[in-house]
């Protein structure tokens, strides 16, 4: 199937002098907000004013709290129910339409929140995309809307009629978005802060270990499970330790019960909330993850091999499949496969991905042009040259 990789191929003439961009994210875990924060930083560096809104603050208070708390409860107590819900939303259009209908109150508030000089709106959350797409579809505002797809797999709820462009992490994600009818698909790469980089030397890695009180002399496997520390994390730590190939270092996030349980069992080194993930990643040799979200992309940027294991139902499994298909991270489905993947990770350096386009450059181009340029992607385009023509010193 042809993947619709498109980008600018002709110089742009600035159609707008407005330099305000609004980003709508959601405080559900850390992935959506993390991508929004990095996009905002890059856009501000290009001279734009950036406003940020939490989608859950834009819906009625009880609904916003309910969405967040129900999602967290599902992942902690009955993760299988989350997988079944996502599957049902994918299979049954009326159910998906009902979910999209819940965004109408937020759409009205988003419209009121937009300042008059807004040049473009970006969504990093599926329900925000549904709300924004509805506004565009009904002609209720006339600035372009961009959905930044934060995950490697694309659920139908990410794709809303009326959204002008969809930025995908990889051709695998672009192909999935195309299958659901997404408009203006571009491959633009992960929005990961520059602090996530490989260690410069053995000394820097040793210093990073000292920073967190981690032992030297043995490979460390960083086990991540999102900001909430959900899933079969204890079992994962136990399985990593049983291989004898690495010491598990488990980031428990805000899950204090998980941290206490791993500490009691002694199967790994349990950490709570970590503010300096770039340094922690430079202390380790491999990352083992279960959700396929922001932590996976940060690890890849840090030059670490990533292994998907004991993945969460729903987005965890679909992201693992997409990461595996893209060649970014193998999906180990059994303990024996985990051991094989750990051996490979220590023996073979991770493949270096080709440099991808900066998603902020594309968003900036749309904001300046006031529309999505309809040009077919044919190679590695000189983004910065086109933007220089479009907007001067961006």
């Amino acid at each position: 199937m042809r993947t619709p990789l498109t980008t600018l191929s002709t110089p742009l003439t600035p159609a707008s002098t407005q330099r305000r961009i609004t980003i709508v994210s959601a405080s559900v875990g850390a992935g959506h907000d993390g991508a929004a924060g990095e996009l905002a930083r890059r856009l501000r560096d290009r001279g734009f004013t950036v406003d940020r809104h939490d989608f859950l603050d834009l819906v009625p208070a009880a609904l916003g709290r309910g969405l967040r708390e129900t999602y967290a409860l599902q992942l902690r107590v009955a993760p299988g129910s989350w997988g079944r819900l996502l599957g049902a939303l994918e299979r049954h259009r009326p159910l998906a339409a009902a979910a999209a209908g819940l965004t109408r109150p937020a759409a009205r508030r988003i419209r009121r929140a937009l300042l008059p000089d807004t040049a473009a709106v970006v969504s990093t959350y599926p329900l925000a995309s549904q709300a924004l797409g509805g506004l565009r579809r009904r002609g209720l505002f006339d600035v372009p809307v961009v959905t930044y797809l934060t995950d490697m797999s694309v659920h139908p709820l990410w794709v809303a009629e009326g959204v002008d462009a969809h930025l995908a992490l990889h051709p695998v994600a672009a192909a999935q978005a195309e299958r659901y009818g997404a408009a203006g698909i571009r491959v633009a790469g992960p929005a990961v802060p520059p602090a996530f980089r490989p260690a410069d030397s053995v000394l820097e890695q040793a210093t990073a270990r000292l920073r967190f009180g981690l032992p030297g002399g043995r490979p460390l496997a960083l086990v991540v499970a999102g900001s909430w520390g959900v899933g079969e994390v204890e079992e994962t730590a136990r399985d990593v330790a049983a291989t004898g190939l690495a010491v598990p270092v488990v980031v428990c996030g805000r899950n204090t019960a998980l941290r206490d349980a791993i500490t009691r069992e002694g199967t790994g080194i349990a950490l709570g909330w970590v503010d300096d993930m770039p340094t922690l990643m430079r202390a380790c040799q491999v990352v083992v993850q279960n959700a396929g979200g922001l932590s996976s992309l940060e690890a890849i940027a840090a030059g670490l091999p990533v292994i998907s294991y004991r993945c969460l139902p729903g987005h965890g499994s679909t992201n693992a499949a997409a990461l595996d298909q893209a060649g970014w991270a193998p999906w180990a489905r059994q303990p024996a496969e985990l051991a094989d993947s750990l051996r490979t990770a220590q023996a073979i350096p991770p493949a270096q991905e080709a440099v991808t386009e900066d998603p902020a450059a594309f968003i900036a181009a749309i904001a300046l042009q006031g529309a999505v340029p309809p040009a077919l992607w044919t190679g590695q385009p000189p983004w910065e040259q086109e933007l220089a023509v479009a907007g001067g010193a961006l």
Side-chain angles (χ1 to χ4, degrees), residues 152 170-173 175-176 318-331:
M152 275 290 285
H170 187 277
V172 168
Q176 292 185 15
T318 57
N319 281 339
L323 286 164
D324 199 355
Q325 183 182 350
W328 282 8
W331 185 3

Side-chain angles (χ1 to χ4, degrees), residues 63-142:
L63 179 57
R65 287 195 302 272
L67 284 171
R68 185 187 295 110
E69 292 171 3
T70 299
Y71 177 57
L73 183 64
Q74 278 186 292
L75 293 184
R76 284 198 304 267
V77 178
S81 67
W82 173 246
R84 289 189 293 274
L85 175 60
L86 284 185
L89 289 168
E90 184 169 2
R91 291 189 304 271
H92 303 295
R93 288 182 179 272
L95 186 58
L102 293 175
T103 69
R104 288 210 170 211
R108 290 190 290 270
R109 295 189 183 191
I110 291 172
R111 187 185 177 199
R112 290 196 296 269
L114 293 180
L115 295 177
D117 61 342
T118 300
V121 184
V122 180
S123 165
T124 65
Y125 181 60
L127 294 182
S129 295
Q130 292 293 331
L132 291 164
L135 288 171
R136 282 289 270 165
R137 194 168 59 248
R138 296 192 297 275
L140 295 179
F141 68 83
D142 58 2

